[in-house]
Amino acid sequence: MKSAFPNITKIQYAGPQSREPLAFKHYNADEIVAGKTMRDHLRFAVVYWHTFRGTGSDPFGAGTMQRPWDDGSNSVSNAQNRAHVAFEFIEKLGAPYYCWHDRDVAPEGKTLSETNKNLDAVAKVLKAEQKRTGIKLLWGTANLFSNPRFVHGAGTSSNADAFAFAAAQIKKALEVTHELGGEGYTFWGGREGYMTLLNTDMKRELDHLAKLLHMAVAYKKQIGFKGQFYIEPKPKEPTKHQYDSDAAACLNFLREFDLLPHFKLNIETNHATLAGHSMQHELEVAGAAGALGSIDANTGDELLGWDTDQFPTNIYLTTYSMLSILKYGGLTTGGVNFDAKVRRESFEPVDLFHAHIGGMDAFARGLKIAAAIQQDGRLAEFVKQRYASWDSGIGAKIEAGKATLKDLEAYMLKKGDVTPNVSGRQEFLENLINEFI
Ligand code: XLS
Ligand code: NI
Ligand code: NI
């Protein structure tokens, strides 16, 4: 096989003083931070869809990406060749994981059975490349939104046949994920939502979506797939409203339909922005529910109202993300998955390296800074002190569920008024964070 990136050798850690653009300044895979290697903390994953299928097209113009290895055809052999290129890239980058949708890796055939055969033929190459390189599959997923048959959604379609097709696709994608030793499987709601409520039976659609997920849980058990299931919140785009709109909505849906024990959340930064939340907010909502699973580590543009899926370079963003992730025990089954694409104007193959190196370095810095803040302890101590009134006396009694309204009235009648509140010290805390950035 001819090399797709002949002028690029394995990306090395060169340290913060280096001026070499194709080197890591902060991501040093074997370096121990807070008791674990950076590799094990961050569990970086490269996405197949943006990185190897992205053309750079947008609603106003055609693709711009130079991908000399791709013959532009929809053939299985082109897809197999692309798989080799993907692994050359991921290996040179030094990321331990990758992720795919079924339709990213293999072309759709004329019938479902042909499509499944195509997927098997490419999966064979993926398996061999995984074995050759040691790169692992973080999660797989099914694309239930591109084909026109999913115009009204998949699990929430008004057409029962579309639901059935989606179910068949999930079955196959689960089998292939299992075959490739995937550590997880993600459900992102594609077109699971509505464009107008005038034509929508919301209750019925939600019920159907839950049925589809229950079928997936049952099939997972049947084939012995031990990977983690994730659901990925997103509020809108392509639909006006997606049912999995944010972390809180997803958790509520999972609880309502008895699915919570089987799922964790895959939180994406740009989706948090679209939902009007910060990434940290979404991570905290998931973490507090014991459902923080994995992240799609991209970023949006606050001046553009859509899912721009840019590579993350903002150190505050990565610091706050890693603070919440460390707080909830770190990523175990999940990883830092770059659901991100190079800009349409960044069309040379080398830009794929610049983008990923930048994202990995930004997260490595975020990890080191967050670990230093944790080690310093002042931030956590401040929060602990802020809630000290709950640690004993009346607070402890309330937390233990041993106080009634009557008890609290008696307590307050005797005490007279609230012990003076103390300052929240937001500015002091923001300054404290800046000590570490
Ligand atoms: C789209 C989603 C998608 C999921 C996987 O906005 O982010 O890429 O991550 O289906
Ligand atoms: Ni997205
Ligand atoms: Ni995503």
Side-chain angles (χ1 to χ4, degrees):
M1 265 256 353
K2 216 170 108 222
S3 165
F5 311 97
N7 302 322
I8 297 172
T9 51
K10 171 120 199 185
I11 306 300
Q12 305 289 340
Y13 170 69
Q17 303 309 323
S18 167
R19 291 292 170 265
E20 166 56 51
L22 292 177
F24 295 116
K25 316 293 188 302
H26 297 278
Y27 179 60
N28 186 9
D30 293 317
E31 187 180 323
I32 306 277
V33 176
K36 269 201 304 203
T37 62
M38 294 180 111
R39 183 189 294 104
D40 289 346
H41 270 293
L42 294 164
R43 299 166 57 86
F44 285 123
V46 172
V47 304
Y48 217 92
W49 52 101
H50 289 311
T51 304
F52 307 111
R53 302 311 309 273
T55 62
S57 67
D58 71 10
F60 301 95
T64 55
M65 294 299 152
Q66 295 171 2
R67 302 291 181 251
W69 55 83
D70 204 305
D71 69 15
S73 78
N74 231 355
S75 68
V76 169
S77 66
N78 191 31
Q80 288 172 322
N81 181 53
R82 196 187 290 121
H84 292 295
V85 173
F87 276 82
E88 181 187 346
F89 174 81
I90 304 168
E91 196 180 19
K92 283 184 168 169
L93 183 68
Y97 290 98
Y98 76 119
C99 298
W100 49 245
H101 298 85
D102 49 1
R103 298 299 173 261
D104 308 328
V105 289
E108 185 143 16
K110 282 191 207 69
T111 60
L112 180 60
S113 91
E114 195 186 304
T115 302
N116 288 346
K117 265 191 216 123
N118 292 350
L119 185 52
D120 286 334
V122 183
K124 224 183 209 171
V125 178
L126 295 174
K127 194 171 183 186
E129 287 287 353
Q130 286 184 206
K131 194 157 176 237
R132 180 183 69 76
T133 59
I135 292 162
K136 293 185 276 187
L137 179 61
L138 187 67
W139 50 258
T141 186
N143 177 331
L144 306 176
F145 43 89
S146 293
N147 191 292
R149 71 173 64 88
F150 298 123
V151 61
H152 298 300
T156 63
S157 178
S158 45
N159 182 340
D161 276 357
F163 181 107
F165 201 101
Q169 223 180 296
I170 291 170
K171 172 179 177 288
K172 181 69 184 174
L174 275 173
E175 288 163 6
V176 176
T177 300
H178 185 36
E179 169 71 18
L180 294 178
E183 297 188 13
Y185 185 91
T186 292
F187 294 83
W188 166 60
R191 294 181 191 273
E192 315 293 24
Y194 61 80
M195 277 304 193
T196 172
L197 286 169
L198 290 174
N199 65 14
T200 303
D201 186 336
M202 190 191 280
K203 186 171 171 11
R204 215 165 173 186
E205 292 198 1
L206 287 169
D207 190 61
H208 295 168
L209 184 58
K211 284 207 161 59
L212 185 62
L213 297 181
H214 272 295
M215 287 178 198
V217 168
Y219 194 63
K220 173 189 185 200
K221 210 167 156 195
Q222 193 181 324
I223 62 176
F225 174 52
K226 298 269 184 296
Q228 176 65 48
F229 272 0
Y230 305 106
I231 187 162
E232 180 178 327
K234 183 175 183 178
K236 55 188 166 195
E237 196 209 75
T239 62
K240 174 194 175 79
H241 175 82
Q242 308 254 133
Y243 293 134
D244 51 8
S245 56
D246 65 4
C250 285
L251 290 169
N252 183 56
F253 169 81
L254 292 170
R255 277 196 200 98
E256 180 178 351
F257 292 98
D258 292 325
L259 287 158
L260 194 53
H262 308 289
F263 284 81
K264 286 190 171 167
L265 301 187
N266 178 41
I267 304 289
E268 175 167 324
T269 319
N270 206 160
H271 298 179
T273 312
L274 293 176
H277 302 310
S278 65
M279 178 62 164
Q280 195 186 13
H281 168 91
E282 290 291 83
L283 293 170
E284 289 289 328
V285 171
L292 174 51
S294 198
I295 67 170
D296 274 10
N298 58 19
T299 190
D301 185 312
E302 307 221 323
L303 300 182
L304 297 174
W306 65 90
D307 202 10
T308 57
D309 287 340
Q310 291 166 237
F311 279 85
T313 53
N314 182 325
I315 308 302
Y316 284 98
L317 169 68
T318 59
T319 298
Y320 286 131
S321 298
M322 290 314 301
L323 266 176
S324 293
I325 289 170
L326 290 180
K327 176 170 153 190
Y328 291 106
L331 299 168
T332 51
T333 57
V336 174
N337 170 50
F338 295 112
D339 187 358
K341 59 188 178 207
V342 289
R343 298 302 84 193
R344 184 168 188 266
E345 300 80 5
S346 307
F347 44 73
E348 294 177 22
V350 70
D351 291 310
L352 293 173
F353 281 93
H354 291 307
H356 284 86
I357 290 169
M360 289 162 83
D361 265 346
F363 261 89
R365 276 182 85 176
L367 166 64
K368 285 191 280 189
I369 294 166
I373 292 169
Q374 231 189 17
Q375 166 80 27
D376 170 81
R378 276 177 291 162
L379 181 65
E381 184 54 29
F382 181 89
V383 177
K384 190 165 175 278
Q385 284 308 322
R386 185 158 181 257
Y387 292 88
S389 66
W390 294 91
D391 293 337
S392 59
I394 197 72
K397 203 173 160 190
I398 298 169
E399 280 198 349
K402 289 187 182 133
T404 64
L405 287 185
K406 210 172 149 207
D407 295 336
L408 297 180
E409 183 195 45
Y411 168 78
M412 225 55 243
L413 283 172
K414 190 164 167 222
K415 185 159 185 190
D417 206 345
V418 172
T419 304
N421 275 310
V422 293
S423 167
R425 301 237 192 285
Q426 180 171 335
E427 298 77 6
F428 161 82
L429 294 170
E430 287 166 348
N431 297 349
L432 191 153
I433 297 291
N434 274 357
E435 275 181 38
F436 294 86
I437 300 259

